[in-house]
Amino acid sequence: MLKRRFETCGRVRLAASGILAALAGTAQGGPTLMSATSSVGQSQFQREIALSGPVSIEAIDARVMGVTLRLNFDEPLTGVRAVAADGANVDFVDFQEGRSWIEVDLSGVEFATSAVLTLDVASGSGVLLDTGATLAFLPADLDGSGYVSQRDAARFVDRFLSNDPEADLNADGIPSQLDVAVFVDNFFEQGRIANRPPTISEIGLVYAGPNSQSLGTPFTLRDDFTAEDDIQLSVSTTAPDVLPASNVQVLGSGGERTIRIISESDLTGAVPVTLTATDARGASYEATFLALVDEDEPPTALVTSDTYLGVAPLTVELDASDSFDRQENIVAYDWDLGGQGTATGPGAQVTFNAPGTYTVTCTVTDDGGLTDVAERIITVAPAAYDLATPVSEAEARRFLWQAGFGPRNDDVAFVMASGFEAWIDNQLTVAGNYMSQELTDAMSDAGRGSHSPNLWDNIIVEGDDQLRQKIAWSVVQIIAINERSDEESLYSLYIKNAMPDPSLGSTGNYREMLHDITFNEEMGDWLTYEDNRKADPVRGTEPDQNYAREVIQLFSVGLWDLTLGGVREQDAFGEDIPAFDPAEAIAQFARIFTGFNNISGEVMEMRPERHEFGPKQLLDYPGAVPLNGFIPAQPESLANALSDVELALDNIFFHPSTAPFISRQLIQRMVTANPTPGYVARVTEAFEGNGPYGTGVRGDMFATVKALLLDDEARNPAYRGNPFYGRIKEPLLAIHGAHRVFQYLEDRNVAFPFRLSISNHDNFQRNVGQGLLRTPTVFNFYEPTFTPLNTPLSKGGFAAPEVQIMNDNSVIEIVNQLENIDNLSQWDDTIEAELLALAPDADALVDRLDMMLNFGTTPPDIRQIIVDTVNLDGDNDDRVEIATVLMVCSLNYRVLR
């Protein structure tokens, strides 16, 4: 699994008293540090550690109580191989395989001025080498600015004279002359004010071939007091035989510099290089980067396009400008436009006038004559799909895989008789199946398991409200949460808001979903804003930012300004435009989500005395709600506190990026991992209340999903031959879908929904990477943009989210689960009889199973293998079981096109 164990080594600076934090370097393909927090004692001084900017923790408490660091990564971890601290003791490392965060407890910092923590973190996709955390203990930094200044001296004098506990720097219980000595020792360095060391921006991989030199790699040099030209720079390397320090050149002057390496031999290797900057007062900073001396390798070609599916005539804009070479010297782009001519340059345009599948290639060449080729497969349909076309059994079954958890015979018959839209509309009349503790208890009494996720299994496999349940399952993977104590009420919240439910007063709107999840106690606990309080200048506390961050970045707006088609907007320089300033916006929204408190029950209450009523600047965009995104200061009252929350939710709900951001992910969860911008735009239109399926109401989930399922890109058979179209069935869909197809039940003599027991979802989570409300992080089981590296998917900018949780163990476990479907006695009698009647004819049996499970798409070679295997057994029951197991365990069953 591990491809490389090198790339940039970096250092994370975490603050115990106002130290800047910077993102750690990561191994290519490895996990990335996303965020961090530090806390002291019982978390009363917990701080979110930004990846840039100052953070303050009261240093004296760190000395008395020790420090806990929590480091959050972007993917589940498989190992922590080394933990060490210089200047402190590592008391405990809280690591669990499959979890995307670790905690490290440090003590013994009583006499330290700093401590350095290093660790190796491994994941399924790579290794993060030597993540470093440098903590500085500066008791004199009273204002948390990250360095000691005259402001700290004034603050200390003020606190000392008023006998304030903050002046008790030696932790003996009282401010005294001993504390003055501590402050003076920290404040002065040989009679000078303590200063921060210089900073060096991150330096990426620097590459040169043997007997050659690299291009210049830029970096930035800064210092608060020393002029950049007066900063002393020195270089050391760990492999002087390959790259001596004298062959690492720092060029330029002032704050903008470049690094160049020169190879003067045939020796090759990856060499860590340390660049040390020392200012005029003796403070120094080290930046480590990787220098690679190796034979020239071919460039890497990457090709994207504005669409890859459409109706003839189809014009496609192609782009290979993201292709790269480690020496940054691509000199030629040569296009073969799928038989429609040729072109040169990083971009090309081609029009396909006739239907068919076309392979466009781009060959990129570096100045050493080495080449690489990337291709783009374009599928052109002869015409848009006519929804009035009679629906075949194959099309009905495919539709029901998208719209629900698998085709059941009665639903197939309904769709064939009445059409796709009629089935969707009929789902509005089907009562929703909600979860409750009473039902869970009754299910346990019936011997079907004692865990509420087992109740969900029954509902999914046998329930008629398939569209409602599929929408809820899709949304819970966008608004992700891990909850194991009150799953019934929490998941029912998703079910209620998936579609209108007049009996509960629900209109099935995404805005209602945001409201309900914001006030939900489980979410308050999961994202740590329950009992979130307004800022306290005396204690030095600020509101928790956890929910503020995720509700903007994951549950609504996303990170970037998007077009209606979900494509990132770009400025005049071709740079993606951020949707907001993360530091400022999240801090402002964190003030909104203060005052929540859970007295009892599922819904948190608002306590106005803990809410921040000051002015707040939310996201400002054209037509922003409220006006200009601004909430003025308001008198303290319950009504005004609740109004703050609703205005903030309106602010993100009406942001122009929210509709495409959510619409694209809904498409991914139901139809295809790689929708074209045109598809996303049409679904976005419905989300915004417009278009042929819009109801005039923004956020209408039913209208949005109706547009999603009836779109030409969802229904047109012409697109299914494109290898990048469709999606992988996630484990729970594959497992539950097989049960639903065969109407597999363990006891038909008891009432629905107590007739099936599949598995404990804790085991699902552990073995297949999924479980109801068992998401390991706020990023869901898998990220919507995940793509396996060094594959045709990654070279074309395509996603395959579900691959992120696939590994040797999960693949085997899914097969084990699917094999259990072969108990014919628990199938629906009609289905069992139909297949047993076909059993003597292996071809007929396999064709029927192919239709039931794969809507007739099994490739001929796979089909023949199954037929030949069935013919090895003469018993009809065995033949049906063998054919069924081979069919559900085939790769074709796992891919939904």
Side-chain angles (χ1 to χ4, degrees):
M1 296 292 290
L2 186 60
K3 300 298 184 185
R4 294 183 177 176
R5 292 191 55 201
F6 61 85
E7 283 295 344
T8 306
C9 290
R11 175 161 293 170
V12 184
R13 291 186 171 269
L14 306 183
S17 184
I19 304 303
L20 295 180
L23 183 63
T26 60
Q28 185 177 26
T32 299
L33 179 65
M34 301 300 292
S35 64
T37 56
S38 65
S39 58
V40 178
Q42 300 301 314
S43 298
Q44 67 267 46
F45 296 120
Q46 182 168 332
R47 293 292 184 273
E48 182 76 15
I49 297 171
L51 297 180
S52 63
V55 179
S56 175
I57 290 290
E58 288 79 350
I60 188 61
D61 294 286
R63 291 166 181 259
V64 173
M65 303 178 187
V67 182
T68 296
L69 302 178
R70 177 163 175 160
L71 307 179
N72 303 296
F73 297 87
D74 66 339
E75 57 182 295
L77 305 178
T78 59
V80 176
R81 302 188 300 180
V83 177
D86 179 14
N89 302 321
V90 178
D91 284 353
F92 180 70
V93 178
D94 184 4
F95 163 74
Q96 180 176 316
E97 186 172 355
R99 197 169 58 189
S100 60
W101 55 269
I102 62 172
E103 282 189 353
V104 180
D105 291 345
L106 299 180
S107 66
V109 300
E110 292 88 348
F111 305 106
T113 57
S114 66
V116 178
L117 175 74
T118 60
L119 61 153
D120 282 0
V121 180
S123 76
S125 61
V127 174
L128 182 65
L129 288 180
D130 297 331
T131 297
T134 301
L135 288 82
F137 304 101
L138 301 177
D141 178 25
L142 299 185
D143 67 353
S145 63
Y147 60 97
V148 179
S149 68
Q150 294 292 349
R151 290 174 303 191
D152 298 300
R155 180 164 178 156
F156 176 75
V157 170
D158 178 65
R159 298 298 187 268
F160 183 80
L161 293 177
S162 61
N163 207 37
D164 192 306
E166 184 175 323
D168 180 23
L169 300 184
N170 68 351
D172 63 358
I174 56 171
S176 68
Q177 291 299 320
L178 295 176
D179 299 297
V180 175
V182 172
F183 182 83
V184 170
D185 287 344
N186 280 272
F187 186 81
F188 290 101
E189 289 182 354
Q190 299 177 1
R192 295 189 298 268
I193 295 176
N195 74 296
R196 290 183 294 183
T199 60
I200 299 173
S201 64
E202 181 179 350
I203 301 173
L205 176 71
V206 180
Y207 170 83
N211 297 295
S212 66
Q213 66 182 26
S214 71
L215 298 175
T217 299
F219 70 94
T220 301
L221 180 67
R222 293 285 186 268
D223 189 79
D224 288 335
F225 300 109
T226 303
E228 284 82 3
D229 285 334
D230 294 331
I231 296 174
Q232 299 298 311
L233 296 172
S234 62
V235 173
S236 63
T237 75
T238 59
D241 55 333
V242 177
L243 183 68
S246 58
N247 285 21
V248 180
Q249 297 181 341
V250 180
L251 308 174
S253 60
E256 308 304 320
R257 306 288 185 95
T258 59
I259 283 279
R260 183 170 66 192
I261 64 173
I262 301 172
S263 170
E264 296 180 325
S265 73
D266 293 328
L267 296 177
T268 62
V271 182
V273 178
T274 299
L275 175 65
T276 302
T278 305
D279 68 15
R281 300 184 178 190
S284 63
Y285 177 86
E286 293 182 353
T288 301
F289 64 93
L290 196 68
L292 180 62
V293 180
D294 203 354
E295 296 292 342
D296 189 20
E297 293 185 0
T300 297
L302 302 173
V303 172
T304 60
S305 61
D306 62 340
T307 189
Y308 69 107
L309 307 170
V311 176
L314 179 67
T315 298
V316 179
E317 297 286 344
L318 298 149
D319 182 13
S321 61
D322 286 336
S323 302
F324 63 92
D325 186 90
R326 286 194 292 187
Q327 291 181 304
E328 300 180 344
N329 54 356
I330 293 177
V331 296
Y333 302 80
D334 296 295
W335 296 87
D336 179 339
L337 301 175
Q340 309 301 301
T342 60
T344 59
Q349 183 188 83
V350 58
T351 298
F352 301 100
N353 293 301
T357 297
Y358 301 85
T359 300
V360 173
T361 62
C362 182
T363 301
V364 298
T365 306
D366 67 16
D367 59 4
L370 300 180
T371 64
D372 188 36
V373 180
E375 65 180 24
R376 194 74 166 177
I377 298 176
I378 311 295
T379 299
V380 183
Y385 183 78
D386 184 356
L387 291 172
T389 303
V391 180
S392 66
E393 181 182 1
E395 293 300 314
R397 288 184 177 274
R398 176 178 178 272
F399 168 79
L400 291 167
W401 276 115
Q402 296 171 335
F405 285 84
R408 200 172 59 179
N409 283 344
D410 53 353
D411 282 321
V412 173
F414 186 106
V415 175
M416 291 177 67
S418 304
F420 306 118
E421 188 168 5
W423 185 89
I424 294 172
D425 290 339
N426 185 66
Q427 286 287 293
L428 283 172
T429 69
V430 178
N433 286 299
Y434 291 89
M435 300 168 64
S436 69
Q437 185 61 54
E438 291 76 16
L439 282 176
T440 298
D441 293 341
M443 181 186 64
S444 179
D445 293 341
R448 297 290 173 249
S450 59
H451 298 277
S452 54
N454 296 129
L455 175 62
W456 182 76
D457 295 337
N458 279 268
I459 290 173
I460 293 308
V461 170
E462 202 177 356
D464 292 328
D465 58 332
Q466 285 288 290
L467 184 59
R468 181 186 296 276
Q469 298 293 339
K470 188 62 173 288
I471 297 172
W473 176 241
S474 300
V475 174
V476 83
Q477 296 190 67
I478 299 172
I479 304 178
I481 187 171
N482 189 312
E483 173 56 41
R484 298 167 188 246
S485 62
D486 193 15
E487 297 104 323
E488 299 93 347
S489 63
L490 175 60
Y491 198 76
S492 289
L493 183 154
Y494 289 88
I495 298 171
K496 181 187 78 169
N497 289 294
M499 285 171 53
D501 190 337
S503 68
L504 297 177
S506 165
T507 62
N509 194 282
Y510 195 74
R511 174 62 177 82
E512 291 181 13
M513 180 77 226
L514 288 174
H515 168 89
D516 287 355
I517 204 65
T518 298
F519 281 84
N520 183 265
E521 191 276 333
E522 283 79 18
M523 183 61 78
D525 179 63
W526 168 242
L527 289 182
T528 63
Y529 64 104
E530 181 182 350
D531 203 27
N532 192 20
R533 304 189 184 198
K534 61 186 177 183
D536 186 339
V538 175
R539 290 171 56 88
T541 60
E542 296 289 338
D544 186 288
Q545 296 186 354
N546 229 3
Y547 186 67
R549 178 183 306 102
E550 311 312 352
V551 76
I552 304 173
Q553 296 183 169
L554 298 177
F555 303 168
S556 58
V557 176
L559 293 173
W560 309 97
D561 279 347
L562 302 176
T563 67
L564 286 177
V567 178
R568 294 181 187 180
E569 297 271 17
Q570 293 188 328
D571 60 21
F573 301 98
E575 299 292 332
D576 298 337
I577 302 174
F580 52 88
D581 178 334
E584 180 62 24
I586 291 169
Q588 293 292 311
F589 272 85
R591 299 169 65 223
I592 291 285
F593 300 116
T594 52
F596 286 98
N597 187 248
N598 187 44
I599 305 300
S600 62
E602 304 155 9
V603 180
M604 291 188 292
E605 299 181 6
M606 173 62 71
R607 297 188 60 175
E609 69 274 14
R610 298 180 178 180
H611 182 74
E612 172 59 68
F613 284 96
K616 306 172 188 75
Q617 179 59 60
L618 307 181
L619 307 187
D620 189 11
Y621 50 87
V625 179
L627 182 64
N628 299 323
F630 181 73
I631 299 178
Q634 301 184 76
E636 293 191 13
S637 71
L638 175 60
N640 285 338
L642 294 175
S643 174
D644 268 5
V645 176
E646 299 304 332
L647 286 172
L649 294 180
D650 281 344
N651 181 252
I652 56 178
F653 174 69
F654 284 100
H655 191 282
S657 292
T658 295
F661 184 69
I662 300 302
S663 295
R664 187 178 192 279
Q665 292 185 74
L666 288 172
I667 296 171
Q668 288 185 300
R669 300 276 53 84
M670 300 180 80
V671 174
T672 177
N674 297 289
T676 66
Y679 188 9
V680 175
R682 294 186 292 271
V683 177
T684 296
E685 189 178 38
F687 186 99
E688 293 181 337
N690 304 316
Y693 300 106
T695 60
V697 177
R698 184 182 180 87
D700 186 322
M701 295 298 293
F702 180 76
T704 301
V705 171
K706 188 173 185 178
L708 182 160
L709 290 170
L710 297 180
D711 190 84
D712 184 61
E713 207 161 309
R715 302 269 59 84
N716 201 322
Y719 302 137
R720 296 169 209 167
N722 192 296
F724 303 109
Y725 176 83
R727 61 181 295 255
I728 297 172
K729 293 175 188 167
E730 67 266 33
L732 288 183
L733 176 60
I735 293 166
H736 290 320
H739 285 86
R740 186 167 172 84
V741 165
F742 296 107
Q743 297 176 45
Y744 179 104
L745 300 172
E746 291 168 335
D747 190 346
R748 298 178 189 277
N749 296 318
V750 298
F752 166 80
F754 313 130
R755 309 202 283 189
L756 176 69
S757 178
I758 295 178
S759 177
N760 183 294
H761 278 244
D762 288 330
N763 293 330
F764 269 144
Q765 171 64 52
R766 184 163 46 252
N767 294 326
V768 305
Q770 268 192 316
L772 179 69
L773 300 180
R774 298 294 193 267
T775 176
T777 74
V778 292
F779 299 103
N780 187 28
F781 309 106
Y782 29 71
E783 297 184 42
T785 57
F786 177 81
T787 184
L789 296 176
N790 302 316
T791 65
L793 285 164
S794 62
K795 294 189 71 170
F798 290 111
E802 297 82 3
V803 173
Q804 193 169 9
I805 59 172
M806 293 179 67
N807 54 52
D808 294 344
N809 178 71
S810 67
V811 169
I812 293 172
E813 183 59 29
I814 293 169
V815 169
N816 290 339
Q817 291 285 342
L818 289 170
E819 282 182 334
N820 296 331
I821 200 70
D822 67 355
N823 190 340
L824 305 188
S825 65
Q826 293 176 342
W827 290 7
D828 175 78
D829 291 342
T830 303
I831 295 174
E832 179 187 10
E834 177 189 9
L835 293 176
L836 284 174
L838 296 173
D841 184 341
D843 286 285
L845 173 64
V846 172
D847 284 345
R848 185 58 192 154
L849 284 168
D850 179 27
M851 176 58 66
M852 293 173 66
L853 291 163
N854 298 333
F855 44 92
T857 63
T858 301
D861 55 342
I862 300 299
R863 177 192 174 280
Q864 192 59 50
I865 290 172
I866 298 174
V867 169
D868 292 344
T869 306
V870 169
N871 278 328
L872 296 175
D873 198 301
D875 181 83
N876 284 344
D877 282 20
D878 289 347
R879 290 165 73 88
V880 172
E881 291 174 1
I882 291 169
T884 301
V885 169
L886 291 176
M887 189 65 73
V888 297
C889 292
S890 70
L891 181 62
N892 192 64
Y893 173 71
R894 291 298 307 279
V895 179
L896 176 61
R897 284 203 175 99

